[in-house]
Amino acid sequence: MSRIEILKTYKIYIGGQFPRTESGRYYVAKNKKGQALANVCLSSRKDVRDAVVSARNAVGGWSGRAAFNRSQILYRIAEMLEGRRAQFIDELIKQDSSAKDAETEVNLSIDRLIYYAGWCDKYQQVFSAVNPVASSHFNFSVPEPTGVVSIVAAQNTALLGLVSVIAPAIAGGNTCVVLASEDKPLCSVTFAEVINSSDVPGGVINILTGKPSELVKYFANHMDINAVVYCENDTATKKLIQEKASLNVKRVLFYDTINWKNDEGQSPYFITDTQEIKTTWHPIETVGSAKAGY
Amino acid sequence: MTAEKKIVTVPDFRYSPHIDHVGVEERASRFTKRSIKAESKLNGLKLTLNMIDLTTLEGKDTDGKVKQLCYKARHLHDAYPGLPTVAAICVYPSMVSVAKKALGNSGINVASVATAFPSGQASRDVKIRDVKYAVNNGADEIDMVISRGRFLQGDYNFVFDEIAVVKEACGAARLKVILETGELVTYDNVRKASDIAMYAGADFIKTSTGKITPAATMPVTLVMLEAIRDFYYKTGKMIAMKPAGGISKSKLALHYLVMLQETLGEAWMNNHWFRFGASSLANDVLMQLEKERTGVYQSANYFSVD
């Protein structure tokens, strides 16, 4: 007897849960041939709001974890992704990748997670400094996570573009709200399932699907977001983001010219992009000028 | 005490109506599904602010903390012009004089918990002195707790008499009677305790101390609102309501207002007849109001902590 295939409902990912969009709207994701691939949630601004609340609540716990533990968890995501290679390759092919490109993209995505897993407990040392000052103070600067990062992911790479921007943000102790590629949303939802089974606390990564044209504004003007990442090269949208982000002086990061498939797609500087430098002055007795006692 | 001389027969509280557990929860959940348009929402949010008893009831409360909270009560968010103030500040008796002085002539009341709050496990003499101490220091409202242990033993007369003497000790201050519904176990008991409190002279009935969970829930509040309605039909006397504890989001507060409107009606929709006992609700309401005003989702970073 022939069997009816059970199709997956592609839902969004907020606070460790898979709700449908609050708006009840959806759109049909199609490939280039015009074949319908899935009904995908068309998220609304209220989904953004809910996601930011979850992300904000998760900041304390995530940034407070030992750097080494964050590293373990990123590594765990890579492990889980490895186990699901076939599914991701299949989805990428459905979304117009060639078999070879799909495999390369999944491999690169896994490797990129491993790369940032390695950096989790190292970037602090590389980018911290002990500063020479002209008074008797021990003066040092360390990077600290900025908080909630909103990310509008690249449109053309369904998985790699997503992983390449999420990984550095969370490696640095931030939490994030991500808008996946509108044209190629399948991998983002499946990636959320990977995250869900990788010991990543709920709320650290929130993934929405929908139209950038509707949601970018809220990614940029929400007062509880500390940095906004935009991966496309649309002049009008960039201007909008810069204007709206000025409301609470967000960090604005445009990754519009980066080819995620190359080595330029990974660097510890992507981590420091969403870090704030804290400088501490600690009073000391200057050893050299002390006459006795040392 | 002289205002109403109408003769009311005290009923046998053993025969208070039984509550349909499933029905009341179903009914309460219906109130959460109303569509509220932007303009009504704005008015509802402002009304909510105006109904808040801004509360600090911690062992670690200091004069400074209370003064700060009083300042907050008077200046909720100065960036937003034309905001109402909260209804009252709710503190321990030892802080009443501090709060009274800090609030001055702002029109904001000082409410004080009393009668060995929150457990209520003290002798009647101690409780009455506790109340008088608060009243003498200038408390406009007294929040008493009932003796839940005695109530659960079935000693309804004891509970009734205690409320009556506390009411007498209050003098001109309005009396809120805290049932601590989280310890009463059943809706039947909540209804019974509400009836006892109202017949014994309560001006308000209040759900919880905020010290145990569950605190205020919508079904429990609905049971109490319906008790108030029945009491009003029987005696013609309005009783005020105060859900307290666990209401920290403005959306939930709006649900409560819907429930109030649909159960008791327009006459109760002001801070003389309805209060929210809350500490963090005010900031959430302010954030929603700012969101409506600016069109931008807000962050807690830009609002005073307390």
mmCIF file with all atom_site columns, all heavy atoms in Angstrom, chain A residues 45-46 49 218 221-224 247-248, chain B residues 251 291 295-302:
data_model
loop_
_atom_site.group_PDB
_atom_site.id
_atom_site.type_symbol
_atom_site.label_atom_id
_atom_site.label_alt_id
_atom_site.label_comp_id
_atom_site.label_asym_id
_atom_site.label_entity_id
_atom_site.label_seq_id
_atom_site.pdbx_PDB_ins_code
_atom_site.Cartn_x
_atom_site.Cartn_y
_atom_site.Cartn_z
_atom_site.occupancy
_atom_site.B_iso_or_equiv
_atom_site.pdbx_formal_charge
_atom_site.auth_seq_id
_atom_site.auth_comp_id
_atom_site.auth_asym_id
_atom_site.auth_atom_id
_atom_site.pdbx_PDB_model_num
ATOM 1   N N   . ARG A 1 45  ? 5.920  41.471 14.270 1.00 0.00 ? 45  ARG A N   1
ATOM 2   C CA  . ARG A 1 45  ? 6.726  42.232 15.231 1.00 0.00 ? 45  ARG A CA  1
ATOM 3   C C   . ARG A 1 45  ? 6.527  41.708 16.654 1.00 0.00 ? 45  ARG A C   1
ATOM 4   O O   . ARG A 1 45  ? 7.410  41.813 17.493 1.00 0.00 ? 45  ARG A O   1
ATOM 5   C CB  . ARG A 1 45  ? 6.391  43.716 15.155 1.00 0.00 ? 45  ARG A CB  1
ATOM 6   C CG  . ARG A 1 45  ? 4.986  44.057 15.580 1.00 0.00 ? 45  ARG A CG  1
ATOM 7   C CD  . ARG A 1 45  ? 4.695  45.539 15.386 1.00 0.00 ? 45  ARG A CD  1
ATOM 8   N NE  . ARG A 1 45  ? 3.274  45.807 15.475 1.00 0.00 ? 45  ARG A NE  1
ATOM 9   C CZ  . ARG A 1 45  ? 2.642  46.057 16.606 1.00 0.00 ? 45  ARG A CZ  1
ATOM 10  N NH1 . ARG A 1 45  ? 3.310  46.069 17.742 1.00 0.00 ? 45  ARG A NH1 1
ATOM 11  N NH2 . ARG A 1 45  ? 1.345  46.292 16.615 1.00 0.00 ? 45  ARG A NH2 1
ATOM 12  N N   . LYS A 1 46  ? 5.367  41.107 16.922 1.00 0.00 ? 46  LYS A N   1
ATOM 13  C CA  . LYS A 1 46  ? 5.161  40.579 18.269 1.00 0.00 ? 46  LYS A CA  1
ATOM 14  C C   . LYS A 1 46  ? 6.004  39.336 18.524 1.00 0.00 ? 46  LYS A C   1
ATOM 15  O O   . LYS A 1 46  ? 6.379  39.068 19.662 1.00 0.00 ? 46  LYS A O   1
ATOM 16  C CB  . LYS A 1 46  ? 3.677  40.280 18.504 1.00 0.00 ? 46  LYS A CB  1
ATOM 17  C CG  . LYS A 1 46  ? 2.868  41.571 18.546 1.00 0.00 ? 46  LYS A CG  1
ATOM 18  C CD  . LYS A 1 46  ? 1.452  41.384 19.012 1.00 0.00 ? 46  LYS A CD  1
ATOM 19  C CE  . LYS A 1 46  ? 0.750  42.745 19.023 1.00 0.00 ? 46  LYS A CE  1
ATOM 20  N NZ  . LYS A 1 46  ? -0.660 42.650 19.323 1.00 0.00 ? 46  LYS A NZ  1
ATOM 21  N N   . ARG A 1 49  ? 9.215  40.791 19.496 1.00 0.00 ? 49  ARG A N   1
ATOM 22  C CA  . ARG A 1 49  ? 9.127  41.230 20.895 1.00 0.00 ? 49  ARG A CA  1
ATOM 23  C C   . ARG A 1 49  ? 9.312  40.046 21.845 1.00 0.00 ? 49  ARG A C   1
ATOM 24  O O   . ARG A 1 49  ? 10.112 40.106 22.782 1.00 0.00 ? 49  ARG A O   1
ATOM 25  C CB  . ARG A 1 49  ? 7.761  41.881 21.135 1.00 0.00 ? 49  ARG A CB  1
ATOM 26  C CG  . ARG A 1 49  ? 7.499  42.259 22.580 1.00 0.00 ? 49  ARG A CG  1
ATOM 27  C CD  . ARG A 1 49  ? 6.022  42.485 22.815 1.00 0.00 ? 49  ARG A CD  1
ATOM 28  N NE  . ARG A 1 49  ? 5.265  41.254 22.614 1.00 0.00 ? 49  ARG A NE  1
ATOM 29  C CZ  . ARG A 1 49  ? 3.935  41.187 22.641 1.00 0.00 ? 49  ARG A CZ  1
ATOM 30  N NH1 . ARG A 1 49  ? 3.222  42.266 22.820 1.00 0.00 ? 49  ARG A NH1 1
ATOM 31  N NH2 . ARG A 1 49  ? 3.324  40.039 22.473 1.00 0.00 ? 49  ARG A NH2 1
ATOM 32  N N   . TYR A 1 218 ? 12.074 46.571 13.409 1.00 0.00 ? 218 TYR A N   1
ATOM 33  C CA  . TYR A 1 218 ? 11.986 46.219 14.832 1.00 0.00 ? 218 TYR A CA  1
ATOM 34  C C   . TYR A 1 218 ? 13.290 45.620 15.340 1.00 0.00 ? 218 TYR A C   1
ATOM 35  O O   . TYR A 1 218 ? 13.604 45.722 16.517 1.00 0.00 ? 218 TYR A O   1
ATOM 36  C CB  . TYR A 1 218 ? 10.796 45.281 15.074 1.00 0.00 ? 218 TYR A CB  1
ATOM 37  C CG  . TYR A 1 218 ? 9.518  45.898 14.561 1.00 0.00 ? 218 TYR A CG  1
ATOM 38  C CD1 . TYR A 1 218 ? 8.946  45.499 13.365 1.00 0.00 ? 218 TYR A CD1 1
ATOM 39  C CD2 . TYR A 1 218 ? 8.937  46.960 15.251 1.00 0.00 ? 218 TYR A CD2 1
ATOM 40  C CE1 . TYR A 1 218 ? 7.811  46.105 12.876 1.00 0.00 ? 218 TYR A CE1 1
ATOM 41  C CE2 . TYR A 1 218 ? 7.805  47.585 14.771 1.00 0.00 ? 218 TYR A CE2 1
ATOM 42  C CZ  . TYR A 1 218 ? 7.236  47.153 13.575 1.00 0.00 ? 218 TYR A CZ  1
ATOM 43  O OH  . TYR A 1 218 ? 6.123  47.766 13.091 1.00 0.00 ? 218 TYR A OH  1
ATOM 44  N N   . ASN A 1 221 ? 15.096 49.047 15.978 1.00 0.00 ? 221 ASN A N   1
ATOM 45  C CA  . ASN A 1 221 ? 14.666 50.100 16.914 1.00 0.00 ? 221 ASN A CA  1
ATOM 46  C C   . ASN A 1 221 ? 14.301 49.607 18.307 1.00 0.00 ? 221 ASN A C   1
ATOM 47  O O   . ASN A 1 221 ? 14.028 50.407 19.194 1.00 0.00 ? 221 ASN A O   1
ATOM 48  C CB  . ASN A 1 221 ? 13.523 50.934 16.317 1.00 0.00 ? 221 ASN A CB  1
ATOM 49  C CG  . ASN A 1 221 ? 12.187 50.206 16.294 1.00 0.00 ? 221 ASN A CG  1
ATOM 50  O OD1 . ASN A 1 221 ? 12.056 49.097 16.814 1.00 0.00 ? 221 ASN A OD1 1
ATOM 51  N ND2 . ASN A 1 221 ? 11.189 50.822 15.691 1.00 0.00 ? 221 ASN A ND2 1
ATOM 52  N N   . HIS A 1 222 ? 14.276 48.301 18.520 1.00 0.00 ? 222 HIS A N   1
ATOM 53  C CA  . HIS A 1 222 ? 13.922 47.789 19.852 1.00 0.00 ? 222 HIS A CA  1
ATOM 54  C C   . HIS A 1 222 ? 14.949 48.270 20.882 1.00 0.00 ? 222 HIS A C   1
ATOM 55  O O   . HIS A 1 222 ? 16.146 48.053 20.719 1.00 0.00 ? 222 HIS A O   1
ATOM 56  C CB  . HIS A 1 222 ? 13.881 46.260 19.805 1.00 0.00 ? 222 HIS A CB  1
ATOM 57  C CG  . HIS A 1 222 ? 13.170 45.644 20.969 1.00 0.00 ? 222 HIS A CG  1
ATOM 58  N ND1 . HIS A 1 222 ? 13.471 45.954 22.275 1.00 0.00 ? 222 HIS A ND1 1
ATOM 59  C CD2 . HIS A 1 222 ? 12.154 44.734 21.030 1.00 0.00 ? 222 HIS A CD2 1
ATOM 60  C CE1 . HIS A 1 222 ? 12.678 45.256 23.070 1.00 0.00 ? 222 HIS A CE1 1
ATOM 61  N NE2 . HIS A 1 222 ? 11.868 44.519 22.345 1.00 0.00 ? 222 HIS A NE2 1
ATOM 62  N N   . MET A 1 223 ? 14.453 48.895 21.941 1.00 0.00 ? 223 MET A N   1
ATOM 63  C CA  . MET A 1 223 ? 15.356 49.493 22.926 1.00 0.00 ? 223 MET A CA  1
ATOM 64  C C   . MET A 1 223 ? 16.122 48.446 23.742 1.00 0.00 ? 223 MET A C   1
ATOM 65  O O   . MET A 1 223 ? 17.097 48.769 24.422 1.00 0.00 ? 223 MET A O   1
ATOM 66  C CB  . MET A 1 223 ? 14.566 50.393 23.885 1.00 0.00 ? 223 MET A CB  1
ATOM 67  C CG  . MET A 1 223 ? 13.897 51.582 23.227 1.00 0.00 ? 223 MET A CG  1
ATOM 68  S SD  . MET A 1 223 ? 15.071 52.829 22.713 1.00 0.00 ? 223 MET A SD  1
ATOM 69  C CE  . MET A 1 223 ? 15.341 53.663 24.278 1.00 0.00 ? 223 MET A CE  1
ATOM 70  N N   . ASP A 1 224 ? 15.660 47.218 23.733 1.00 0.00 ? 224 ASP A N   1
ATOM 71  C CA  . ASP A 1 224 ? 16.297 46.191 24.553 1.00 0.00 ? 224 ASP A CA  1
ATOM 72  C C   . ASP A 1 224 ? 17.289 45.346 23.749 1.00 0.00 ? 224 ASP A C   1
ATOM 73  O O   . ASP A 1 224 ? 17.732 44.312 24.215 1.00 0.00 ? 224 ASP A O   1
ATOM 74  C CB  . ASP A 1 224 ? 15.234 45.297 25.203 1.00 0.00 ? 224 ASP A CB  1
ATOM 75  C CG  . ASP A 1 224 ? 15.642 44.859 26.604 1.00 0.00 ? 224 ASP A CG  1
ATOM 76  O OD1 . ASP A 1 224 ? 16.607 45.441 27.146 1.00 0.00 ? 224 ASP A OD1 1
ATOM 77  O OD2 . ASP A 1 224 ? 15.005 43.951 27.158 1.00 0.00 ? 224 ASP A OD2 1
ATOM 78  N N   . LEU A 1 247 ? 18.642 55.242 18.301 1.00 0.00 ? 247 LEU A N   1
ATOM 79  C CA  . LEU A 1 247 ? 17.738 55.492 19.437 1.00 0.00 ? 247 LEU A CA  1
ATOM 80  C C   . LEU A 1 247 ? 18.380 55.135 20.768 1.00 0.00 ? 247 LEU A C   1
ATOM 81  O O   . LEU A 1 247 ? 18.273 55.871 21.738 1.00 0.00 ? 247 LEU A O   1
ATOM 82  C CB  . LEU A 1 247 ? 16.457 54.681 19.267 1.00 0.00 ? 247 LEU A CB  1
ATOM 83  C CG  . LEU A 1 247 ? 15.335 55.275 18.442 1.00 0.00 ? 247 LEU A CG  1
ATOM 84  C CD1 . LEU A 1 247 ? 14.216 54.269 18.308 1.00 0.00 ? 247 LEU A CD1 1
ATOM 85  C CD2 . LEU A 1 247 ? 14.823 56.554 19.090 1.00 0.00 ? 247 LEU A CD2 1
ATOM 86  N N   . ASN A 1 248 ? 18.977 53.946 20.816 1.00 0.00 ? 248 ASN A N   1
ATOM 87  C CA  . ASN A 1 248 ? 19.662 53.569 22.057 1.00 0.00 ? 248 ASN A CA  1
ATOM 88  C C   . ASN A 1 248 ? 21.142 53.240 21.792 1.00 0.00 ? 248 ASN A C   1
ATOM 89  O O   . ASN A 1 248 ? 21.765 52.501 22.525 1.00 0.00 ? 248 ASN A O   1
ATOM 90  C CB  . ASN A 1 248 ? 18.961 52.392 22.752 1.00 0.00 ? 248 ASN A CB  1
ATOM 91  C CG  . ASN A 1 248 ? 19.025 51.116 21.944 1.00 0.00 ? 248 ASN A CG  1
ATOM 92  O OD1 . ASN A 1 248 ? 19.197 51.165 20.738 1.00 0.00 ? 248 ASN A OD1 1
ATOM 93  N ND2 . ASN A 1 248 ? 18.892 49.983 22.603 1.00 0.00 ? 248 ASN A ND2 1
ATOM 94  N N   . LYS B 2 251 ? -0.293 43.061 30.460 1.00 0.00 ? 251 LYS B N   1
ATOM 95  C CA  . LYS B 2 251 ? -1.311 42.303 29.733 1.00 0.00 ? 251 LYS B CA  1
ATOM 96  C C   . LYS B 2 251 ? -2.242 41.589 30.724 1.00 0.00 ? 251 LYS B C   1
ATOM 97  O O   . LYS B 2 251 ? -3.464 41.623 30.585 1.00 0.00 ? 251 LYS B O   1
ATOM 98  C CB  . LYS B 2 251 ? -0.620 41.281 28.830 1.00 0.00 ? 251 LYS B CB  1
ATOM 99  C CG  . LYS B 2 251 ? -1.516 40.667 27.796 1.00 0.00 ? 251 LYS B CG  1
ATOM 100 C CD  . LYS B 2 251 ? -0.709 39.868 26.796 1.00 0.00 ? 251 LYS B CD  1
ATOM 101 C CE  . LYS B 2 251 ? -1.517 39.448 25.611 1.00 0.00 ? 251 LYS B CE  1
ATOM 102 N NZ  . LYS B 2 251 ? -0.702 38.756 24.610 1.00 0.00 ? 251 LYS B NZ  1
ATOM 103 N N   . LYS B 2 291 ? 5.863  52.457 24.916 1.00 0.00 ? 291 LYS B N   1
ATOM 104 C CA  . LYS B 2 291 ? 5.826  51.789 23.612 1.00 0.00 ? 291 LYS B CA  1
ATOM 105 C C   . LYS B 2 291 ? 4.699  52.362 22.765 1.00 0.00 ? 291 LYS B C   1
ATOM 106 O O   . LYS B 2 291 ? 4.874  52.625 21.577 1.00 0.00 ? 291 LYS B O   1
ATOM 107 C CB  . LYS B 2 291 ? 5.653  50.282 23.817 1.00 0.00 ? 291 LYS B CB  1
ATOM 108 C CG  . LYS B 2 291 ? 5.932  49.461 22.587 1.00 0.00 ? 291 LYS B CG  1
ATOM 109 C CD  . LYS B 2 291 ? 4.688  49.091 21.852 1.00 0.00 ? 291 LYS B CD  1
ATOM 110 C CE  . LYS B 2 291 ? 4.944  48.842 20.398 1.00 0.00 ? 291 LYS B CE  1
ATOM 111 N NZ  . LYS B 2 291 ? 3.711  48.698 19.660 1.00 0.00 ? 291 LYS B NZ  1
ATOM 112 N N   . GLY B 2 295 ? 6.138  54.145 19.784 1.00 0.00 ? 295 GLY B N   1
ATOM 113 C CA  . GLY B 2 295 ? 6.109  53.136 18.724 1.00 0.00 ? 295 GLY B CA  1
ATOM 114 C C   . GLY B 2 295 ? 7.306  52.209 18.754 1.00 0.00 ? 295 GLY B C   1
ATOM 115 O O   . GLY B 2 295 ? 7.528  51.436 17.842 1.00 0.00 ? 295 GLY B O   1
ATOM 116 N N   . VAL B 2 296 ? 8.083  52.282 19.827 1.00 0.00 ? 296 VAL B N   1
ATOM 117 C CA  . VAL B 2 296 ? 9.304  51.489 19.911 1.00 0.00 ? 296 VAL B CA  1
ATOM 118 C C   . VAL B 2 296 ? 9.258  50.614 21.156 1.00 0.00 ? 296 VAL B C   1
ATOM 119 O O   . VAL B 2 296 ? 8.925  51.089 22.235 1.00 0.00 ? 296 VAL B O   1
ATOM 120 C CB  . VAL B 2 296 ? 10.536 52.419 19.989 1.00 0.00 ? 296 VAL B CB  1
ATOM 121 C CG1 . VAL B 2 296 ? 11.793 51.633 20.261 1.00 0.00 ? 296 VAL B CG1 1
ATOM 122 C CG2 . VAL B 2 296 ? 10.666 53.214 18.696 1.00 0.00 ? 296 VAL B CG2 1
ATOM 123 N N   . TYR B 2 297 ? 9.594  49.327 20.995 1.00 0.00 ? 297 TYR B N   1
ATOM 124 C CA  . TYR B 2 297 ? 9.634  48.440 22.160 1.00 0.00 ? 297 TYR B CA  1
ATOM 125 C C   . TYR B 2 297 ? 10.700 48.912 23.136 1.00 0.00 ? 297 TYR B C   1
ATOM 126 O O   . TYR B 2 297 ? 11.788 49.304 22.738 1.00 0.00 ? 297 TYR B O   1
ATOM 127 C CB  . TYR B 2 297 ? 9.906  46.995 21.727 1.00 0.00 ? 297 TYR B CB  1
ATOM 128 C CG  . TYR B 2 297 ? 8.731  46.363 21.028 1.00 0.00 ? 297 TYR B CG  1
ATOM 129 C CD1 . TYR B 2 297 ? 8.816  45.943 19.716 1.00 0.00 ? 297 TYR B CD1 1
ATOM 130 C CD2 . TYR B 2 297 ? 7.526  46.201 21.699 1.00 0.00 ? 297 TYR B CD2 1
ATOM 131 C CE1 . TYR B 2 297 ? 7.729  45.364 19.075 1.00 0.00 ? 297 TYR B CE1 1
ATOM 132 C CE2 . TYR B 2 297 ? 6.440  45.622 21.075 1.00 0.00 ? 297 TYR B CE2 1
ATOM 133 C CZ  . TYR B 2 297 ? 6.540  45.205 19.763 1.00 0.00 ? 297 TYR B CZ  1
ATOM 134 O OH  . TYR B 2 297 ? 5.463  44.632 19.140 1.00 0.00 ? 297 TYR B OH  1
ATOM 135 N N   . GLN B 2 298 ? 10.361 48.864 24.427 1.00 0.00 ? 298 GLN B N   1
ATOM 136 C CA  . GLN B 2 298 ? 11.208 49.469 25.440 1.00 0.00 ? 298 GLN B CA  1
ATOM 137 C C   . GLN B 2 298 ? 12.103 48.467 26.157 1.00 0.00 ? 298 GLN B C   1
ATOM 138 O O   . GLN B 2 298 ? 11.888 47.266 26.085 1.00 0.00 ? 298 GLN B O   1
ATOM 139 C CB  . GLN B 2 298 ? 10.320 50.193 26.464 1.00 0.00 ? 298 GLN B CB  1
ATOM 140 C CG  . GLN B 2 298 ? 9.519  51.324 25.868 1.00 0.00 ? 298 GLN B CG  1
ATOM 141 C CD  . GLN B 2 298 ? 10.408 52.436 25.335 1.00 0.00 ? 298 GLN B CD  1
ATOM 142 O OE1 . GLN B 2 298 ? 11.244 52.959 26.054 1.00 0.00 ? 298 GLN B OE1 1
ATOM 143 N NE2 . GLN B 2 298 ? 10.225 52.798 24.078 1.00 0.00 ? 298 GLN B NE2 1
ATOM 144 N N   . SER B 2 299 ? 13.078 49.007 26.864 1.00 0.00 ? 299 SER B N   1
ATOM 145 C CA  . SER B 2 299 ? 13.978 48.191 27.661 1.00 0.00 ? 299 SER B CA  1
ATOM 146 C C   . SER B 2 299 ? 13.892 48.619 29.118 1.00 0.00 ? 299 SER B C   1
ATOM 147 O O   . SER B 2 299 ? 13.783 49.809 29.416 1.00 0.00 ? 299 SER B O   1
ATOM 148 C CB  . SER B 2 299 ? 15.403 48.383 27.159 1.00 0.00 ? 299 SER B CB  1
ATOM 149 O OG  . SER B 2 299 ? 16.323 47.979 28.141 1.00 0.00 ? 299 SER B OG  1
ATOM 150 N N   . ALA B 2 300 ? 13.970 47.645 30.015 1.00 0.00 ? 300 ALA B N   1
ATOM 151 C CA  . ALA B 2 300 ? 13.883 47.943 31.449 1.00 0.00 ? 300 ALA B CA  1
ATOM 152 C C   . ALA B 2 300 ? 15.021 48.851 31.906 1.00 0.00 ? 300 ALA B C   1
ATOM 153 O O   . ALA B 2 300 ? 14.921 49.514 32.936 1.00 0.00 ? 300 ALA B O   1
ATOM 154 C CB  . ALA B 2 300 ? 13.894 46.644 32.245 1.00 0.00 ? 300 ALA B CB  1
ATOM 155 N N   . ASN B 2 301 ? 16.094 48.902 31.109 1.00 0.00 ? 301 ASN B N   1
ATOM 156 C CA  . ASN B 2 301 ? 17.246 49.727 31.486 1.00 0.00 ? 301 ASN B CA  1
ATOM 157 C C   . ASN B 2 301 ? 16.903 51.202 31.632 1.00 0.00 ? 301 ASN B C   1
ATOM 158 O O   . ASN B 2 301 ? 17.608 51.940 32.299 1.00 0.00 ? 301 ASN B O   1
ATOM 159 C CB  . ASN B 2 301 ? 18.339 49.618 30.416 1.00 0.00 ? 301 ASN B CB  1
ATOM 160 C CG  . ASN B 2 301 ? 19.063 48.310 30.496 1.00 0.00 ? 301 ASN B CG  1
ATOM 161 O OD1 . ASN B 2 301 ? 18.950 47.616 31.506 1.00 0.00 ? 301 ASN B OD1 1
ATOM 162 N ND2 . ASN B 2 301 ? 19.771 47.960 29.450 1.00 0.00 ? 301 ASN B ND2 1
ATOM 163 N N   . TYR B 2 302 ? 15.848 51.632 30.964 1.00 0.00 ? 302 TYR B N   1
ATOM 164 C CA  . TYR B 2 302 ? 15.559 53.070 30.932 1.00 0.00 ? 302 TYR B CA  1
ATOM 165 C C   . TYR B 2 302 ? 14.462 53.466 31.909 1.00 0.00 ? 302 TYR B C   1
ATOM 166 O O   . TYR B 2 302 ? 13.900 54.554 31.806 1.00 0.00 ? 302 TYR B O   1
ATOM 167 C CB  . TYR B 2 302 ? 15.213 53.494 29.499 1.00 0.00 ? 302 TYR B CB  1
ATOM 168 C CG  . TYR B 2 302 ? 16.321 53.143 28.531 1.00 0.00 ? 302 TYR B CG  1
ATOM 169 C CD1 . TYR B 2 302 ? 16.272 51.966 27.789 1.00 0.00 ? 302 TYR B CD1 1
ATOM 170 C CD2 . TYR B 2 302 ? 17.455 53.948 28.427 1.00 0.00 ? 302 TYR B CD2 1
ATOM 171 C CE1 . TYR B 2 302 ? 17.307 51.609 26.941 1.00 0.00 ? 302 TYR B CE1 1
ATOM 172 C CE2 . TYR B 2 302 ? 18.490 53.601 27.584 1.00 0.00 ? 302 TYR B CE2 1
ATOM 173 C CZ  . TYR B 2 302 ? 18.418 52.434 26.845 1.00 0.00 ? 302 TYR B CZ  1
ATOM 174 O OH  . TYR B 2 302 ? 19.450 52.082 26.021 1.00 0.00 ? 302 TYR B OH  1
#
